[in-house]
Amino acid sequence: MLPALFAATLFAGSAALFLVQPLVGKLLLPIGGGSPNIWNTCMVFFQLVLLAGYLYAHRATGSLGVRRQAAAHLLLLATVAVALYAAVAATGSPIPVLPRLLPEDQDNPVLGLVALLAVAVGVPYFVLSTTSPILQRWFAATGHPSARDPYFLSAAGNAGCLLGLLGYPLVLERHLTLAQQQWVFAGAVAAYLGLVVVCAFVVMRNAECGTRNGKTEEPAADGGPGSALRTPHSALRTPRVARWVFLSAMPSSLLLGVTTHVSTTLNPIPLLWAVPLALYLVSFILVFARWPDRLHQAVGRVTPVLLLFTALSLLLDLSEPFGLVLALHLGAFTGVCLVCHGELAKDRPPPEHLTAFYFWLSVGGVLGGAFNALAAPVVFGRLGMVEYPLALVLAAAVRPRGDVDKEPPLRAADVLLVLGLLAVTVGLVLLVPRYVVAPGVSDADEPWEVKALRGGLMFGLPAAAVAALVRRPARFALSLGALFVAGAFDAGRHGETLHTERNFYGVLRVARSPDGKFVRLLHGKSVDGMQRADEAGPPQPMTYYYKRGPVGHLFENLADRAAPKDLWVRPVPVTRVGVVGLGIGSVAHYAEPGQHWTFFELDPAVVRAAQNPAWFRFLSTCKAEYEVVLGDARRQLARRPDAGFDLIILDGFCSGSRPVHLLTREALEVYVRKLAPNGVLAVNVTNRHLDLPPLVARAAAAFDPPLSVRYRHDQPTDALRAEGKDESEWMILARDDAALGPVAWDPYWDPVRVTAGPVWRDDFADTLGAWRKDGH
């Protein structure tokens, strides 16, 4: 009965712990502009609070003993109830989110975000974070036959974590509003508190290391390395603790690295971020559930091969076939987690050091996460996303202890061998692209056979040599690092890099195309703007803003509009234009003298790139007066006077994904309120994975009276693609057909049929339900 009680409590606490993480992330994304680093910063905050919870568990049980600590813990539980009551009384919500704490015009608003998180969920999350070490330590003191090895309870905790993590996007997010989700979390916390109270009373009554001579003895305190953590039991040695920290830091760093890569750089599919974290948790469940040593050794032999192929995919910049490339990255990540966590499970200490063990594992988790989310953007600001390859290299040196013990240490000859490999690979990278090319063909149209041959010669041959060194962990890791260093000399498919800048919102690159014809602004693999390199005079818009496309057609017809409700009076001019998403400022090509344009841009690095005429000249040649407003566009627009714009263009990207909060019913109300009576809203609804036009159409139909809506799916010919035009989908909205003018009856634009389905709102947006059904 006791194991079931403690397992159920651990399961409930862990489920609530991981339920609140995506919930808080979703609450914060709208005020953070939809940046993927919002989630990474949340992860680091949660790891820091987890560390604080583990430190409390370790110190409290060590200094008070289990029975007195259980009594004191009841007071801590009471603070959670008080905090939740205070939050509801002050804001009407169990999770108070205060947007004023988050600055809007900084490259790295991390401190403000951490303060916001602390206010929103700091107290309940801290108490939830103490669950695993506290309950396992309590159970170890009950005298139950299973108490000698309480680590089996961690399987219940990890199962709860997995349920909370996956249950949120698959169940709660799809069926409940954000307000309802917060009350589900509050209810889960209340149920958890009740279970912990029961466990505490059980421990206070039954805690024992034995009952001798009629006297109940208090369990001995925990300990750790150094005099401050020393106990009467065998002390933990520093090398052992350092190994725990490293083995826990490695998967933590790799978790954020692979999450960022697969969900932004590789392919921005909604909810893909949850898959690596789920695999991370599954690895803990497996290795702490009597993980067979033979299987552990097998995973240790397969993982280096997966790491090599993953490195090769990064060097070749592969994203297709997507399923295979994704499986490769996730497979290598899972292998590293199983090896590292498996080594930790095999080296777990006896129960008297349980809280110290969890504390040092948490230290490693914080160090790994903080390196990616906090240190890497500063240290590697001009180099790009270096931490992911670096983590792969370090992971290549980790093997099951039995394998490592059989291999000799690194020798001078090994270092010379790696340096030779580096020199050969750099030579191939510099020479092969000069000779293996398709003459007279643009980089976009280059045959795949040529690309495969070039990549095989540059990196395939050196990778084969690295594979031969896989048996020696240190030498193999250095060889893998040599491949990445050589890869830095490769211009890649995006051509020569002119500028790289990294901040909270991601890695931004300005690059010249391999054929030298274009200069591009890149966020991950997303091309956020492109300009001809040799163009004289004002540059011509490309990609989504091509003159023979929906935007060009819209501007051509706007001047012919008449005043609303009266088609026989003089045309109504467009004088005030708002643009959500600056990019390189391509749409400024359509600006005319006498107009005032306002660009709303979240990322300061994008503004710096767009305003540099050495790369892009749309803003420097803009005929109209313009201003750039930094910060989340929706929040900034809400502060502008009503009826202040004749035209608003909505094109707010985030590495190919689209911030949900810009397309909700409430967001649409803000845009319409800011439009003049005859104003027009143009929305770029291009997305590979989400079917956005029906969502926008339903939101427009919910107005009273419904908005007038037109749609255009523009599919360029191969010739136009070669000139820089991209496939795009646009919708234009206005209060009535008269405001649309000639566009309303032009066959170029299609009327929109409203289909049945949900409307995205600020408190409810089912992204899975918006998934494209046509296989795109």
Side-chain angles (χ1 to χ4, degrees):
M1 191 66 183
L2 274 184
L5 170 64
F6 279 82
T9 308
L10 196 57
F11 180 88
S14 300
L17 190 74
F18 271 75
L19 165 65
V20 75
Q21 293 186 18
L23 172 57
V24 169
K26 187 162 185 176
L27 287 169
L28 297 188
L29 281 176
I31 63 174
S35 167
N37 271 341
I38 291 285
W39 174 245
N40 281 356
T41 306
C42 288
M43 288 286 289
V44 174
F45 170 80
F46 293 137
Q47 287 175 325
L48 283 169
V49 179
L50 189 71
L51 174 62
Y54 283 10
L55 179 61
Y56 155 77
H58 175 66
R59 291 293 189 182
T61 55
S63 59
L64 299 177
V66 172
R67 180 175 294 160
R68 288 190 295 273
Q69 188 276 325
H73 196 68
L74 294 176
L75 298 176
L76 187 61
L77 299 181
T79 64
V80 179
V82 172
L84 290 175
Y85 176 81
V88 173
T91 65
S93 168
I95 304 179
V97 176
L98 306 178
R100 63 179 178 271
L101 295 176
L102 188 66
E104 299 184 67
D105 57 352
Q106 295 184 5
D107 284 272
N108 289 290
V110 172
L111 293 180
L113 183 58
V114 169
L116 195 154
L117 286 164
V119 172
V121 293
V123 174
Y125 195 88
F126 172 78
V127 174
L128 288 170
S129 71
T130 67
T131 303
S132 185
I134 287 288
L135 288 180
Q136 291 186 53
R137 188 66 185 89
W138 285 0
F139 182 73
T142 61
H144 190 274
S146 302
R148 292 182 178 275
D149 186 10
Y151 291 98
F152 75 91
L153 290 173
S154 63
N158 287 316
C161 293
L162 197 60
L163 175 69
L165 175 68
L166 298 182
Y168 180 81
L170 297 178
V171 179
L172 294 185
E173 186 182 32
R174 302 198 66 184
H175 300 288
L176 300 178
T177 66
L178 278 175
Q180 292 169 334
Q181 293 168 25
Q182 292 180 60
W183 284 109
V184 168
F185 168 69
V189 171
Y192 161 77
L193 294 179
L195 287 171
V196 175
V197 169
V198 174
C199 291
F201 279 110
V202 168
V203 168
M204 287 189 289
R205 187 181 63 184
N206 297 329
E208 50 125 47
C209 281
T211 302
R212 301 173 185 172
N213 302 321
K215 297 181 179 181
T216 302
E217 297 182 359
E218 192 72 71
D222 293 349
S227 57
L229 302 180
R230 198 171 300 278
T231 73
H233 300 273
S234 59
L236 298 176
R237 296 184 179 277
T238 301
R240 187 183 187 188
V241 170
R243 186 169 182 268
W244 289 348
V245 172
F246 175 78
L247 288 174
S248 57
M250 181 55 55
S252 176
S253 173
L254 203 55
L255 168 64
L256 296 189
V258 73
T259 300
T260 300
H261 182 74
V262 303
S263 62
T264 59
T265 305
L266 189 59
N267 212 339
I269 294 177
L271 303 180
L272 189 57
W273 57 266
V275 177
L277 185 53
L279 294 173
Y280 180 87
L281 294 174
V282 167
S283 70
F284 269 114
I285 295 174
L286 293 176
V287 300
F288 278 93
R290 295 180 174 86
W291 182 242
D293 187 67
R294 185 172 299 177
L295 185 56
H296 183 59
Q297 297 293 331
V299 171
R301 294 187 180 97
V302 172
T303 299
V305 179
L306 293 174
L307 289 171
L308 177 59
F309 279 103
T310 300
L312 196 57
S313 74
L314 291 173
L315 292 167
L316 297 176
D317 200 19
L318 297 180
S319 59
E320 297 293 342
F322 172 68
L324 179 61
V325 177
L326 176 65
L328 185 60
H329 284 273
L330 295 181
F333 167 69
T334 305
V336 173
C337 288
L338 288 172
V339 171
C340 292
H341 295 158
E343 287 296 294
L344 288 170
K346 292 180 180 300
D347 194 30
R348 60 185 184 268
E352 61 264 23
H353 294 305
L354 183 147
T355 57
F357 178 64
Y358 280 114
F359 170 74
W360 291 114
L361 262 59
S362 183
V363 168
V366 168
L367 292 177
F371 173 73
N372 281 56
L374 305 180
V378 177
V379 177
F380 305 131
R382 299 293 178 181
L383 298 176
M385 202 70 67
V386 175
E387 63 272 19
Y388 182 37
L390 181 59
L392 293 175
V393 170
L394 292 176
V398 179
R399 305 288 172 83
R401 177 167 279 178
D403 281 357
V404 175
D405 295 341
K406 299 175 184 177
E407 301 296 336
L410 190 68
R411 299 169 300 188
D414 297 326
V415 176
L416 293 176
L417 182 62
V418 171
L419 292 175
L421 175 68
L422 173 62
V424 171
T425 308
V426 169
L428 290 172
V429 168
L430 296 177
L431 293 176
V432 168
R434 298 185 182 182
Y435 302 103
V436 183
V437 293
V441 178
S442 68
D443 60 300
D445 298 323
E446 190 176 41
W448 70 268
E449 296 92 342
V450 176
K451 296 179 181 178
L453 178 60
R454 185 168 59 244
L457 291 174
M458 286 194 302
F459 298 114
L461 292 177
V466 174
L469 309 176
V470 73
R471 292 290 300 171
R472 303 273 296 278
R475 188 175 64 180
F476 174 69
L478 289 177
S479 301
L480 202 62
L483 289 185
F484 280 119
V485 172
F489 293 89
D490 177 31
R493 69 181 182 91
H494 294 302
E496 176 191 2
T497 297
L498 305 176
H499 174 72
T500 300
E501 185 171 353
R502 181 177 180 182
N503 60 12
F504 181 80
Y505 304 102
V507 178
L508 178 143
R509 289 179 56 210
V510 178
R512 192 185 306 274
S513 62
D515 56 16
K517 294 181 179 179
F518 306 104
V519 178
R520 299 163 171 163
L521 181 67
L522 304 162
H523 252 134
K525 289 185 179 294
S526 175
V527 179
D528 285 0
M530 186 165 63
Q531 176 186 306
R532 285 193 174 275
D534 56 354
E535 200 166 19
Q540 297 297 305
M542 310 178 80
T543 63
Y544 300 134
Y545 295 100
Y546 203 78
K547 294 190 74 171
R548 284 183 285 172
V551 175
H553 187 276
L554 175 64
F555 275 97
E556 185 179 319
N557 286 273
L558 279 178
D560 297 330
R561 296 182 307 158
K565 307 301 182 183
D566 188 351
L567 299 180
W568 303 105
V569 299
R570 63 182 178 81
V572 178
V574 174
T575 59
R576 301 159 298 172
V577 179
V579 182
V580 176
L582 174 62
I584 63 172
S586 300
V587 73
H589 169 85
Y590 298 100
E592 296 292 343
Q595 296 178 337
H596 182 86
W597 286 54
T598 304
F599 293 92
F600 299 92
E601 174 56 48
L602 180 68
D603 189 348
V606 171
V607 178
R608 290 190 286 269
Q611 291 181 334
N612 190 333
W615 303 324
F616 308 109
R617 295 183 291 111
F618 289 101
L619 293 182
S620 63
T621 60
C622 180
K623 299 175 185 178
E625 178 186 350
Y626 78 88
E627 63 174 322
V628 178
V629 178
L630 278 172
D632 177 67
R634 179 174 162 182
R635 295 172 67 191
Q636 295 290 355
L637 265 171
R639 298 166 184 164
R640 295 278 165 150
D642 291 349
F645 295 98
D646 302 304
L647 171 67
I648 294 177
I649 300 173
L650 178 61
D651 187 12
F653 285 91
C654 188
S655 296
S657 61
R658 190 169 301 278
V660 171
H661 74 291
L662 294 180
L663 289 175
T664 62
R665 172 70 165 79
E666 292 82 355
L668 203 59
E669 290 175 351
V670 172
Y671 308 144
V672 172
R673 193 167 63 247
K674 303 306 170 182
L675 286 174
N678 64 311
V680 174
L681 172 66
V683 185
N684 184 355
V685 290
T686 310
N687 196 282
R688 285 177 291 173
H689 307 293
L690 298 179
D691 192 12
L692 298 178
L695 290 167
V696 176
R698 288 194 289 268
F703 280 74
D704 185 20
L707 301 180
S708 180
V709 184
R710 296 295 185 273
Y711 168 77
R712 174 69 181 183
H713 184 184
D714 190 50
Q715 296 176 295
T717 63
D718 291 340
L720 289 177
R721 287 183 185 275
E723 293 181 14
K725 184 180 182 182
D726 286 342
E727 179 180 354
S728 65
E729 296 178 80
W730 285 86
M731 300 180 77
I732 53 175
L733 301 84
R735 290 184 174 89
D736 50 37
D737 283 355
L740 291 177
V743 171
W745 56 83
D746 194 316
Y748 181 85
W749 295 90
D750 299 322
V752 175
R753 183 173 63 89
V754 179
T755 58
V759 175
W760 276 3
R761 304 190 66 95
D762 284 349
D763 64 350
F764 179 81
D766 177 16
T767 53
L768 285 180
W771 195 266
R772 284 189 180 273
K773 306 301 190 296
D774 53 8
H776 285 70

